[in-house]
mmCIF file of all heavy atoms in Angstrom:
data_model
loop_
_atom_site.group_PDB
_atom_site.id
_atom_site.type_symbol
_atom_site.label_atom_id
_atom_site.label_comp_id
_atom_site.label_asym_id
_atom_site.label_seq_id
_atom_site.Cartn_x
_atom_site.Cartn_y
_atom_site.Cartn_z
ATOM 1 N N ALA A 207 -12.597 4.529 -16.507
ATOM 2 C CA ALA A 207 -13.696 5.445 -16.488
ATOM 3 C C ALA A 207 -13.232 6.855 -16.659
ATOM 4 O O ALA A 207 -13.768 7.697 -17.358
ATOM 5 C CB ALA A 207 -14.531 5.323 -15.223
ATOM 6 N N ILE A 208 -12.081 7.175 -15.989
ATOM 7 C CA ILE A 208 -11.509 8.505 -16.086
ATOM 8 C C ILE A 208 -11.025 8.750 -17.495
ATOM 9 O O ILE A 208 -11.247 9.854 -18.073
ATOM 10 C CB ILE A 208 -10.378 8.671 -15.061
ATOM 11 C CG1 ILE A 208 -10.921 8.660 -13.680
ATOM 12 C CG2 ILE A 208 -9.550 9.944 -15.329
ATOM 13 C CD1 ILE A 208 -9.883 8.665 -12.552
ATOM 14 N N ARG A 209 -10.366 7.754 -18.106
ATOM 15 C CA ARG A 209 -9.881 7.890 -19.450
ATOM 16 C C ARG A 209 -11.010 8.162 -20.464
ATOM 17 O O ARG A 209 -10.872 8.920 -21.394
ATOM 18 C CB ARG A 209 -9.101 6.603 -19.866
ATOM 19 C CG ARG A 209 -8.626 6.592 -21.255
ATOM 20 C CD ARG A 209 -7.818 5.302 -21.521
ATOM 21 N NE ARG A 209 -8.591 4.102 -21.299
ATOM 22 C CZ ARG A 209 -9.420 3.546 -22.140
ATOM 23 N NH1 ARG A 209 -9.668 4.142 -23.355
ATOM 24 N NH2 ARG A 209 -10.120 2.462 -21.840
ATOM 25 N N LEU A 210 -12.168 7.464 -20.222
ATOM 26 C CA LEU A 210 -13.324 7.606 -21.115
ATOM 27 C C LEU A 210 -14.212 8.784 -20.758
ATOM 28 O O LEU A 210 -15.205 9.048 -21.463
ATOM 29 C CB LEU A 210 -14.139 6.319 -21.059
ATOM 30 C CG LEU A 210 -13.425 5.079 -21.570
ATOM 31 C CD1 LEU A 210 -14.280 3.840 -21.335
ATOM 32 C CD2 LEU A 210 -13.139 5.220 -23.082
ATOM 33 N N GLY A 211 -13.898 9.498 -19.684
ATOM 34 C CA GLY A 211 -14.676 10.661 -19.260
ATOM 35 C C GLY A 211 -16.033 10.257 -18.749
ATOM 36 O O GLY A 211 -17.001 10.980 -19.009
ATOM 37 N N ASP A 212 -16.101 9.140 -18.010
ATOM 38 C CA ASP A 212 -17.397 8.648 -17.501
ATOM 39 C C ASP A 212 -17.463 8.874 -15.968
ATOM 40 O O ASP A 212 -17.007 7.999 -15.202
ATOM 41 C CB ASP A 212 -17.536 7.205 -17.813
ATOM 42 C CG ASP A 212 -18.961 6.635 -17.574
ATOM 43 O OD1 ASP A 212 -19.657 7.174 -16.647
ATOM 44 O OD2 ASP A 212 -19.400 5.730 -18.289
ATOM 45 N N PRO A 213 -17.955 10.002 -15.499
ATOM 46 C CA PRO A 213 -17.912 10.287 -14.036
ATOM 47 C C PRO A 213 -18.817 9.298 -13.234
ATOM 48 O O PRO A 213 -18.504 9.057 -12.076
ATOM 49 C CB PRO A 213 -18.506 11.725 -13.943
ATOM 50 C CG PRO A 213 -19.207 11.906 -15.241
ATOM 51 C CD PRO A 213 -18.532 11.076 -16.275
ATOM 52 N N ASP A 214 -19.927 8.823 -13.811
ATOM 53 C CA ASP A 214 -20.816 7.913 -13.037
ATOM 54 C C ASP A 214 -20.081 6.594 -12.740
ATOM 55 O O ASP A 214 -20.196 6.070 -11.595
ATOM 56 C CB ASP A 214 -22.062 7.658 -13.844
ATOM 57 C CG ASP A 214 -22.932 8.897 -13.948
ATOM 58 O OD1 ASP A 214 -22.836 9.809 -13.083
ATOM 59 O OD2 ASP A 214 -23.702 8.995 -14.894
ATOM 60 N N VAL A 215 -19.436 6.012 -13.689
ATOM 61 C CA VAL A 215 -18.693 4.768 -13.467
ATOM 62 C C VAL A 215 -17.556 4.937 -12.531
ATOM 63 O O VAL A 215 -17.281 4.101 -11.646
ATOM 64 C CB VAL A 215 -18.285 4.162 -14.861
ATOM 65 C CG1 VAL A 215 -17.395 2.924 -14.569
ATOM 66 C CG2 VAL A 215 -19.518 3.746 -15.633
ATOM 67 N N ALA A 216 -16.831 6.043 -12.704
ATOM 68 C CA ALA A 216 -15.735 6.359 -11.816
ATOM 69 C C ALA A 216 -16.138 6.463 -10.364
ATOM 70 O O ALA A 216 -15.573 5.923 -9.453
ATOM 71 C CB ALA A 216 -14.993 7.626 -12.263
ATOM 72 N N ARG A 217 -17.268 7.148 -10.107
ATOM 73 C CA ARG A 217 -17.830 7.289 -8.780
ATOM 74 C C ARG A 217 -18.256 5.960 -8.212
ATOM 75 O O ARG A 217 -18.010 5.612 -7.101
ATOM 76 C CB ARG A 217 -18.996 8.302 -8.797
ATOM 77 C CG ARG A 217 -19.747 8.360 -7.462
ATOM 78 C CD ARG A 217 -20.927 9.331 -7.587
ATOM 79 N NE ARG A 217 -20.554 10.691 -7.382
ATOM 80 C CZ ARG A 217 -20.462 11.290 -6.162
ATOM 81 N NH1 ARG A 217 -20.644 10.532 -5.076
ATOM 82 N NH2 ARG A 217 -20.162 12.541 -6.033
ATOM 83 N N ASP A 218 -19.010 5.209 -9.047
ATOM 84 C CA ASP A 218 -19.554 3.884 -8.639
ATOM 85 C C ASP A 218 -18.485 2.952 -8.191
ATOM 86 O O ASP A 218 -18.563 2.324 -7.155
ATOM 87 C CB ASP A 218 -20.440 3.351 -9.741
ATOM 88 C CG ASP A 218 -21.011 2.015 -9.344
ATOM 89 O OD1 ASP A 218 -21.799 1.914 -8.355
ATOM 90 O OD2 ASP A 218 -20.622 0.946 -9.965
ATOM 91 N N TRP A 219 -17.383 2.811 -9.007
ATOM 92 C CA TRP A 219 -16.392 1.846 -8.709
ATOM 93 C C TRP A 219 -15.555 2.283 -7.485
ATOM 94 O O TRP A 219 -15.106 1.439 -6.713
ATOM 95 C CB TRP A 219 -15.433 1.615 -9.903
ATOM 96 C CG TRP A 219 -15.900 0.392 -10.682
ATOM 97 C CD1 TRP A 219 -16.681 0.404 -11.809
ATOM 98 C CD2 TRP A 219 -15.674 -0.975 -10.347
ATOM 99 N NE1 TRP A 219 -16.941 -0.911 -12.183
ATOM 100 C CE2 TRP A 219 -16.320 -1.754 -11.308
ATOM 101 C CE3 TRP A 219 -14.940 -1.564 -9.300
ATOM 102 C CZ2 TRP A 219 -16.279 -3.147 -11.286
ATOM 103 C CZ3 TRP A 219 -14.916 -2.984 -9.305
ATOM 104 C CH2 TRP A 219 -15.555 -3.755 -10.255
ATOM 105 N N THR A 220 -15.402 3.613 -7.309
ATOM 106 C CA THR A 220 -14.687 4.050 -6.139
ATOM 107 C C THR A 220 -15.438 3.815 -4.872
ATOM 108 O O THR A 220 -14.897 3.401 -3.862
ATOM 109 C CB THR A 220 -14.381 5.586 -6.285
ATOM 110 O OG1 THR A 220 -13.579 5.792 -7.469
ATOM 111 C CG2 THR A 220 -13.619 6.130 -5.062
#
Side-chain angles (χ1 to χ4, degrees):
I208 292 172
R209 177 177 58 82
L210 296 171
D212 191 331
D214 292 334
V215 172
R217 172 185 275 274
D218 178 63
W219 265 98
T220 300

